[in-house]
Amino acid sequence: MKNNKSYFRKNIDEMDGYTPGEQPRDMKYVKLNTNENPYPPSPAVMKALKSLDAGRLRLYPDPLACELRKTIADIFGLKSESIIVGNGSDDILTITTRAFAGEKDSIACFEPSYSLYPVLAELQGCRCIKIPLGYDGDFYIPSDSAKKANGAKLFYIARPNAPTGTLFPIGEIRKICRNFKGIVFVDEAYADFADDNCVGLLEEFPNLIVGRTMSKSYSLAGLRLGFALASGKIIEGMMKVKDSYNVGMPVQVLATAALKDRKYFNETREKICRTRRYLVKSLLEKGFEVCGSQSNFVFAAPPDKDGEGVYRRLKKNGVLVRYFKGPVTGRYVRITVGTDKEIRILLRNI
Amino acid sequence: MKNNKSYFRKNIDEMDGYTPGEQPRDMKYVKLNTNENPYPPSPAVMKALKSLDAGRLRLYPDPLACELRKTIADIFGLKSESIIVGNGSDDILTITTRAFAGEKDSIACFEPSYSLYPVLAELQGCRCIKIPLGYDGDFYIPSDSAKKANGAKLFYIARPNAPTGTLFPIGEIRKICRNFKGIVFVDEAYADFADDNCVGLLEEFPNLIVGRTMSKSYSLAGLRLGFALASGKIIEGMMKVKDSYNVGMPVQVLATAALKDRKYFNETREKICRTRRYLVKSLLEKGFEVCGSQSNFVFAAPPDKDGEGVYRRLKKNGVLVRYFKGPVTGRYVRITVGTDKEIRILLRNI
């Protein structure tokens, strides 16, 4: 047995792995770098947590997560058969990739967009077709996107887009669903902070999957719950790919509690949208260029277009934001919408 | 868009998916079918649950699960770099499959063994080499197993084996590690109920991974926590394949609490082993053939070799056990070791 022998697949050996945002273990930073919600989860989650029966942990969770899926279905006016839940939306994205794209296939995505999509392709050993977004001071979908993506089995589109915050016109998504021959996965991780979403398109397009997460708008990043909405046929196939017990019992119970508290959800969402407007206005006043954000973060470029400089200056002063290298993205920083107080600290130090 | 078009990969369309044991939603059954622990988790888990700060759920969990991995490492006398944690051992098995076996590759496993292994191969789109165990009233590893498996990238071995309970001699595992050219994954889901385990072989063999779960011996099936032990180099590669935040914050906290309570763990394990001895003795007295179990379940064949008949009779009388079709396995039922009281009910109705 030679020591330098690798047992790994070639694609795994050659890849770097995904780099998540910094998660500093001490809390000295004002943390505006990973799009977490600045408010705690619903009090209903606290209550459900306190009344959880630890004795029940000895039993496997419901593999079909019936109550949780029914709760989600009710919110969206769909049937449970149209819902799959996962261990965070990472799990949903992994299930989707494995269900639709094999080693000889390709996956399409825009650039810049969520940097996990190309990593998912690498992990699966398939090719990634990166379609550059148009840029005219803001980012837009080029008109020939479906054509460029064709040949791919799967098209990942984040809407609102990350890290830019852009809400691509819904007509553009419709056009892609119509003209692209594979599965269109619209990743709506941030859609709860936006004016509209693509759930209404599900009836129209059998090749559409809409992905959601409870990490942002429900303040449950630590819990891990993501889900997808699609036709019953698509969900049925995806269920074969998921791990049998991919969502633990406490997660099912706490997520259900959070989803049922519509009042708290709406209030929190509105507070964040209000702070976002304040942040955008203040940045514009300071001469920043700001992308039209419809999410819980803002993508903003300082007058000198030195995104990295802003990132470093803020970090030195105890404020974490995120910076993305690149000829265009490098001009910007991505700032999570925190509390008003956190945003005031950011603005003082930017 | 034709309605009958499938967007799925061929291997996904053609597979049935894994069938987990029945999880009846009402509790009228004496449930001895999915190898759950009959005792609740450690009181330390209850305590940790009650003092969990729900507010912290808004933040992403530690992607490296440092404290949990350190706790596991300490128990096994290893370094944290030798540990990866997952969302149940299903997640660990999925990560392993994706890391080492591509579409042109094959995976080896014994038969009968854990029925998930061939499903993992199907999901990955690779071939499965099934090596029949020898049978002489009990199940044993044929001497040419490594040779039969060679060509495969990965060899899944459950030890103790499921559903038979057999603890293959450690010398056989050593021989396979030495002679098989790919990764040997020894799935020790039930090893806490056995006389020995393969953790000591890790130093010797760079191609060995040992898998564990907290679902059985720690009574945490509902929580979802599995882990694997291997060389730092193997773990480093597997970390690239896992979802970034694959273990939620509550899971990290509660699993750590359970692992630290060694006293409760040892007491529970001993109670189960004691009940297992009582169950085996009673079944032998009733004329059953019983495989030499070193796990928290017993594989037993009635005098008339009609496993299915026993399964049906028990189910009618409110006791769930598991039955596996097949010319040899079909003679048996698999009975989870419950409490003494549950086993008395089983014995009255068998």
Side-chain angles (χ1 to χ4, degrees), chain B residues 258-275:
Chain B
L259 285 158
K260 286 189 168 162
D261 189 352
R262 303 313 296 160
K263 185 163 172 284
Y264 184 88
F265 169 77
N266 285 318
E267 283 168 5
T268 306
R269 175 170 69 170
E270 275 162 35
K271 274 199 283 188
I272 289 169
C273 290
R274 206 179 307 133
T275 306

Side-chain angles (χ1 to χ4, degrees), chain A residues 1 3-9 11-18 20-21 23 25 27 31 34-41 45-46 49-63 66-67 87 90-91 94 97-105 116 119-120 123-124 153 177-178 180-183 206-207 213 215-216 219-224 233-238 240-251 254 342, chain B residues 1 3-9 11-18 20-21 23 25 27 31 34-41 45-46 49-63 66-67 87 90-92 94 97-105 116 119-120 123-124 153 177-178 180-183 206-207 213 215-216 219-224 233-238 240-251 254 342:
Chain A
M1 197 79 60
N3 260 339
N4 57 356
K5 170 177 176 174
S6 172
Y7 295 96
F8 287 93
R9 290 166 69 198
N11 55 317
I12 306 297
D13 265 332
E14 285 173 356
M15 70 183 281
D16 289 326
Y18 174 70
Q23 298 290 355
R25 303 193 66 201
M27 285 294 148
K31 199 169 170 308
T34 53
N35 299 341
E36 284 141 334
N37 195 311
Y39 303 106
V45 174
M46 326 272 180
L49 185 66
K50 297 304 165 197
S51 62
L52 259 189
D53 175 10
R56 268 190 55 206
L57 288 172
R58 73 175 191 84
L59 298 174
Y60 280 95
D62 175 5
C66 293
E67 197 188 340
N87 183 41
D90 281 358
D91 187 24
T94 293
T97 304
R98 299 189 77 199
F100 301 105
E103 281 179 20
K104 279 179 206 128
D105 300 326
L116 182 65
V119 176
L120 290 168
L123 272 173
Q124 188 65 350
K153 296 285 183 179
C177 288
R178 192 178 300 126
F180 177 66
K181 293 190 174 42
I183 290 283
N207 61 333
T213 174
S215 295
K216 322 290 180 181
S219 297
L220 289 173
L223 190 64
R224 316 309 301 133
K233 203 173 150 190
I234 293 287
I235 296 296
E236 196 187 343
M238 289 173 73
K240 293 198 280 187
V241 180
K242 82 176 185 71
D243 288 340
S244 304
Y245 302 105
N246 64 329
V247 178
M249 181 274 277
V251 182
L254 302 189
E342 288 172 324
Chain B
M1 196 80 58
N3 258 339
N4 58 355
K5 169 176 176 175
S6 172
Y7 295 95
F8 287 94
R9 290 165 68 197
N11 55 318
I12 306 297
D13 265 332
E14 285 172 354
M15 71 183 283
D16 288 328
Y18 173 71
Q23 299 290 355
R25 304 194 65 201
M27 284 294 148
K31 198 169 170 308
T34 52
N35 299 340
E36 284 139 335
N37 195 310
Y39 303 105
V45 173
M46 326 273 181
L49 184 66
K50 297 304 166 200
S51 61
L52 259 188
D53 175 11
R56 269 189 54 206
L57 288 172
R58 74 175 190 85
L59 298 174
Y60 280 95
D62 175 5
C66 293
E67 198 188 340
N87 182 40
D90 281 357
D91 187 24
I92 295 292
T94 293
T97 305
R98 301 189 76 200
F100 300 105
E103 281 179 19
K104 281 180 203 125
D105 301 326
L116 182 65
V119 176
L120 291 168
L123 271 173
Q124 188 65 350
K153 295 284 181 179
C177 288
R178 192 177 300 125
F180 178 65
K181 293 189 173 45
I183 289 283
N207 61 332
T213 173
S215 295
K216 322 291 180 181
S219 297
L220 289 174
L223 191 65
R224 316 310 299 132
K233 202 172 150 189
I234 293 286
I235 296 297
E236 196 188 343
M238 289 172 74
K240 292 197 281 187
V241 180
K242 82 177 185 70
D243 288 339
S244 305
Y245 302 105
N246 65 329
V247 178
M249 181 276 275
V251 181
L254 301 189
E342 287 173 323

Side-chain angles (χ1 to χ4, degrees), chain A residues 1 12 18 28 60 62 65 67 77 79 108 132 140 155 163 180-181 183 185 199 201 226 230 248 260 303 314 317 348:
Chain A
M1 197 79 60
I12 306 297
Y18 174 70
K28 67 173 183 176
Y60 280 95
D62 175 5
E67 197 188 340
K79 289 186 177 170
Y140 63 89
F155 196 161
F180 177 66
K181 293 190 174 42
I183 290 283
F185 186 105
V199 176
L201 301 186
K260 286 188 168 163
L314 284 170
N317 290 301
R348 266 205 307 276

Side-chain angles (χ1 to χ4, degrees), chain B residues 297-316:
Chain B
F297 58 85
V298 166
F299 205 50
D304 66 0
K305 303 286 184 282
D306 179 13
E308 192 171 4
V310 175
Y311 164 76
R312 286 188 192 285
R313 187 162 64 248
L314 285 169
K315 189 168 181 181
K316 217 173 65 186

Side-chain angles (χ1 to χ4, degrees), chain B residues 54 84-85 104 106 115 151 158 212 243 247 265 286 290 297 342:
Chain B
I84 183 171
V85 294
K104 281 180 203 125
S106 22
S115 57
R212 292 285 179 118
D243 288 339
V247 178
F265 169 77
K286 284 178 184 286
V290 183
F297 58 85
E342 287 173 323

